[in-house]
Amino acid sequence: MHIYKKTAFSVASLLAGCYLSLLSMTAYAEDWIYTIKAGDTIWQLTSDKLVDRHAWKAMLEKNGIKVPKNLVPGTKIHFPMALVKKYDSSARVIKVHGQAQIFMRDSSKTLPLKPGMRLSSGDRVTTDSVGRILLLLADNSQVIIKANSDLSLHHIDLLGDAHSRTLNFDAKLKYGEVEMNANPEKHLDDSRYLIETPIANTAVRGTEFYVQSDLEISRMGVFVGQVDVSNEAGNVSLPQGYATLVEQDKAPIEPVALLKPPQLEVADIIHYLPHRISLSMKTSNAQQQYRTQVSTTNDFMDIIYDEVTKDFVLDERFQSGQYYLKIRALDTNGLEGESLQKIIVIDLLPLAPILLQPVDNVSQQYVGQIIFSWKEAEYADSYLFEVAKDSKFSRIIYSEATKKTKIRVDLDEVGVYFYRVRGLTKDNQQGRASSIHSLSLTALPETPTITAHSSEDESFQLSWKTTTPSDLVDHYQLQLSTSADFQHDVIMKTSYTADWQSSRPKVMDYYVRVRVMDNIGKQYSSYSLPVKLAMPASTFQTEHI
């Protein structure tokens, strides 16, 4: 049920303040502008739509109508708002993102704003740094209250009689930003919209526009339709595609054409972050700024990025998914231009893993089992590890997919190898490859061969030979034992030449073997075949076993 609100007043005193320019902002703010329809008469209009049906004569005078019987359809006539019948209406909360509060009229009560709630005349709403509210009015007008905003709803009324109602929406934006698509379907004729700011008022009819305000500056821009902007210092009319700026105690500047949308270069699918999106437009301003908004929804209610910069970089705050991009260029007055809107798709592939071991081109390795490892890569579900004989990987000799970050590979041939690893997604899409590392494999030192010699009564000596070049030999290690399995009375000796001489430890038989360590990888060869040193009375005799 609509509640009809009737106010007592003197028609004469009311009209005394209404004889202003019919085209002025003040007149618009105080008047309801009605469009004459076929069959309308001044008597019927004042009876149906005004609270005083006897005000018809004053209405003729106010609108300069000389022949009341010949009202031409399409003609605009002005009715003082205080005389118009009003019925309570409301704004329905469609969406809320972030934190938003409602301050109830005639009450100190504050509630969190939620979808489905209805706002009435006198209510006030605020949003936080990421808050956004979508309101739907009775004529399907959409009001988007953006982040860090404070909006008071002075009036939400339906005007006129029950058969031909139009909307009266009057709100004050203390600070923040509002975008509005007013009366998009022309559902109710002659709807009236007024957005006030501390600096100026914005009167609207059937249009798409924005209002931005703080305590010192207000900005208004029109995308579709027309907006009138006024304060005590002056007024301007903004046609479609124009904007204005109003400073405290100054008249609105002359309408400025909105900048055209910028040109955008972006891949159809973005696989890696950070990703710089190139923005450009025909301008002499080398420091051109753009306001870029990114939302997860096409109505831009869930905005996750809203910044003014020279360029735009998709960074780590974005994940795989579809996003909606809106970009407007800003002129030197900070007025936002026409919007460029585009869908961007992010399908993140694994980043390049970092190889850990072996160290690239530093550690000398020997043929055999080699251990490779790497750090986990972001967005990787598994890994593809490859070894090749050339740096271009045209001769891959080993390839394996694994979920681990360590792998063992048998490489038995001497030579240079190249290896790399890349992450894989769950559906096996390949990410970026790691840097290519190289590895030089060399053969283990050759096993020496021992030659036994006769010994003196108090000593014995050995000599051996090896195919390992002498400049690659670090030292030789000898092992003596009283048992053939080298488990008892083991003595370790070191020699830096291919021979060795020692006093006789005990008067008994010994077994000896020798191995070589190279000076590159500090790796021992295998031991030589053991040699038995028999010990008769005073002379050693050798015997290979």
Side-chain angles (χ1 to χ4, degrees):
M1 175 183 294
H2 295 292
I3 300 175
Y4 169 62
K5 299 182 289 187
K6 187 172 182 178
T7 305
F9 57 87
S10 163
V11 174
S13 63
L14 175 67
L15 292 181
C18 293
Y19 290 115
L20 302 173
S21 170
L22 297 182
L23 298 179
S24 71
M25 178 65 197
T26 304
Y28 181 85
E30 296 179 353
D31 290 349
W32 172 37
I33 303 176
Y34 175 80
T35 305
I36 296 296
K37 300 172 181 59
D40 281 345
T41 67
I42 193 65
W43 302 281
Q44 169 256 321
L45 290 175
T46 53
S47 175
D48 292 345
K49 303 185 182 301
L50 303 185
V51 295
D52 184 356
R53 61 187 181 87
H54 301 293
W56 61 268
K57 189 173 182 179
M59 294 304 100
L60 292 176
E61 294 177 0
K62 175 178 175 63
N63 289 277
I65 299 174
K66 303 299 183 182
V67 185
K69 294 184 178 180
N70 296 328
L71 297 182
V72 180
T75 301
K76 304 291 185 180
I77 64 172
H78 291 234
F79 293 132
M81 280 298 298
L83 288 177
V84 178
K85 292 179 180 177
K86 303 178 183 67
Y87 299 82
D88 282 336
S89 186
S90 62
R92 183 159 56 96
V93 180
I94 303 299
K95 292 183 179 180
V96 177
H97 178 74
Q99 297 295 318
Q101 301 288 328
I102 175 174
F103 297 80
M104 308 294 289
R105 63 177 176 179
D106 302 326
S107 171
S108 59
K109 190 174 182 181
T110 303
L111 296 173
L113 200 62
K114 297 180 180 180
M117 296 177 70
R118 288 189 174 272
L119 307 180
S120 302
S121 300
D123 291 339
R124 171 176 162 242
V125 293
T126 61
T127 57
D128 67 0
S129 59
V130 294
R132 290 172 74 87
I133 306 168
L134 174 61
L135 303 180
L136 187 67
L137 306 182
D139 63 350
N140 289 333
S141 294
Q142 294 182 347
V143 181
I144 299 178
I145 306 168
K146 299 191 176 183
N148 294 319
S149 294
D150 184 323
L151 185 73
S152 296
L153 304 175
H154 287 176
H155 300 285
I156 309 178
D157 305 315
L158 292 172
L159 306 178
D161 60 52
H163 303 289
S164 177
R165 298 170 300 165
T166 59
L167 187 68
N168 174 44
F169 179 79
D170 183 349
K172 181 170 184 177
L173 180 65
K174 183 177 181 181
Y175 56 80
E177 181 177 3
V178 169
E179 282 193 15
M180 186 170 185
N181 184 5
N183 197 12
E185 302 173 5
K186 307 296 186 228
H187 182 65
L188 297 175
D189 294 335
D190 302 323
S191 287
R192 177 183 181 276
Y193 312 93
L194 182 64
I195 305 288
E196 303 175 42
T197 74
I199 310 299
N201 298 331
T202 304
V204 184
R205 293 192 203 101
T207 190
E208 295 179 29
F209 69 100
Y210 69 84
V211 178
Q212 300 168 344
S213 179
D214 56 34
L215 297 179
E216 297 180 353
I217 296 177
S218 293
R219 295 178 175 89
M220 299 84 172
V222 182
F223 302 119
V224 178
Q226 179 174 327
V227 164
D228 294 322
V229 180
S230 177
N231 63 10
E232 293 182 357
N235 64 81
V236 295
S237 291
L238 296 181
Q240 179 172 316
Y242 282 81
T244 189
L245 175 146
V246 189
E247 296 183 76
Q248 183 74 46
D249 300 326
K250 294 183 181 180
I253 66 172
E254 289 300 311
V256 177
L258 299 178
L259 292 179
K260 296 300 181 183
Q263 295 178 338
L264 176 69
E265 295 181 11
V266 60
D268 292 336
I269 301 178
I270 297 169
H271 291 302
Y272 299 103
L273 301 179
H275 181 89
R276 186 177 300 276
I277 293 180
S278 177
L279 301 172
S280 63
M281 61 186 305
K282 294 181 179 180
T283 176
S284 58
N285 183 8
Q287 303 299 317
Q288 179 64 57
Q289 298 276 302
Y290 303 90
R291 181 180 184 184
T292 302
Q293 296 176 310
V294 183
S295 174
T296 60
T297 57
N298 61 0
D299 59 7
F300 283 84
M301 284 299 297
D302 184 17
I303 288 182
I304 59 175
Y305 181 98
D306 188 351
E307 295 184 13
V308 175
T309 58
K310 286 178 59 178
D311 52 17
F312 171 48
V313 177
L314 290 165
D315 55 24
E316 64 278 354
R317 79 189 78 181
F318 296 93
Q319 298 296 320
S320 292
Q322 179 170 282
Y323 297 89
Y324 299 86
L325 180 67
K326 180 189 290 184
I327 301 177
R328 294 173 180 167
L330 275 66
D331 67 11
T332 54
N333 291 310
L335 297 171
E336 296 183 11
E338 297 178 5
S339 297
L340 166 70
Q341 297 194 38
K342 183 175 177 62
I343 296 175
I344 56 175
V345 176
I346 300 177
D347 183 13
L348 293 177
L349 296 180
L351 302 180
I354 299 176
L355 290 167
L356 297 178
Q357 68 177 98
V359 178
D360 182 29
N361 203 28
V362 174
S363 297
Q364 182 72 31
Q365 295 284 322
Y366 295 93
V367 293
Q369 189 175 83
I370 310 298
I371 298 176
F372 299 90
S373 66
W374 55 90
K375 287 185 178 180
E376 288 186 355
E378 196 169 4
Y379 313 122
D381 179 70
S382 59
Y383 301 92
L384 176 64
F385 180 78
E386 297 174 312
V387 180
K389 293 293 289 182
D390 67 306
S391 60
K392 295 183 179 180
F393 283 76
S394 62
R395 291 185 292 153
I396 295 176
I397 63 170
Y398 184 88
S399 179
E400 182 177 345
T402 177
K403 285 186 174 292
K404 299 179 180 179
T405 57
K406 180 181 290 187
I407 196 168
R408 300 172 186 268
V409 182
D410 291 323
L411 299 175
D412 298 323
E413 293 185 6
V414 173
V416 178
Y417 295 84
F418 300 87
Y419 57 99
R420 67 186 180 188
V421 64
R422 69 176 77 231
L424 301 175
T425 63
K426 290 183 178 180
D427 55 357
N428 288 324
Q429 291 189 75
Q430 296 186 5
R432 284 178 175 165
S434 68
S435 56
I436 296 174
H437 284 198
S438 64
L439 173 68
S440 295
L441 295 186
T442 186
L444 290 169
E446 293 291 336
T447 303
T449 301
I450 297 176
T451 301
H453 297 275
S454 298
S455 66
E456 302 296 334
D457 291 344
E458 299 297 329
S459 64
F460 57 79
Q461 63 181 22
L462 297 174
S463 63
W464 54 87
K465 62 181 179 180
T466 178
T467 58
T468 301
S470 60
D471 62 339
L472 298 182
V473 174
D474 185 79
H475 67 269
Y476 299 97
Q477 187 180 68
L478 293 93
Q479 191 177 48
L480 286 83
S481 176
T482 57
S483 62
D485 60 2
F486 290 83
Q487 297 298 311
H488 303 286
D489 298 322
V490 176
I491 301 173
M492 306 297 293
K493 298 293 183 179
T494 298
S495 176
Y496 293 96
T497 60
D499 53 26
W500 177 68
Q501 183 175 336
S502 175
S503 60
R504 186 168 52 194
K506 293 180 181 180
V507 182
M508 58 189 306
D509 292 342
Y510 274 92
Y511 298 88
V512 64
R513 60 187 181 180
V514 65
R515 62 182 180 177
V516 62
M517 173 182 275
D518 77 353
N519 59 13
I520 299 177
K522 305 300 182 182
Q523 180 72 28
Y524 279 114
S525 69
S526 56
Y527 277 109
S528 66
L529 291 174
V531 171
K532 181 180 180 181
L533 299 176
M535 201 177 256
S538 61
T539 305
F540 289 105
Q541 297 177 355
T542 64
E543 176 186 352
H544 287 277
I545 59 175

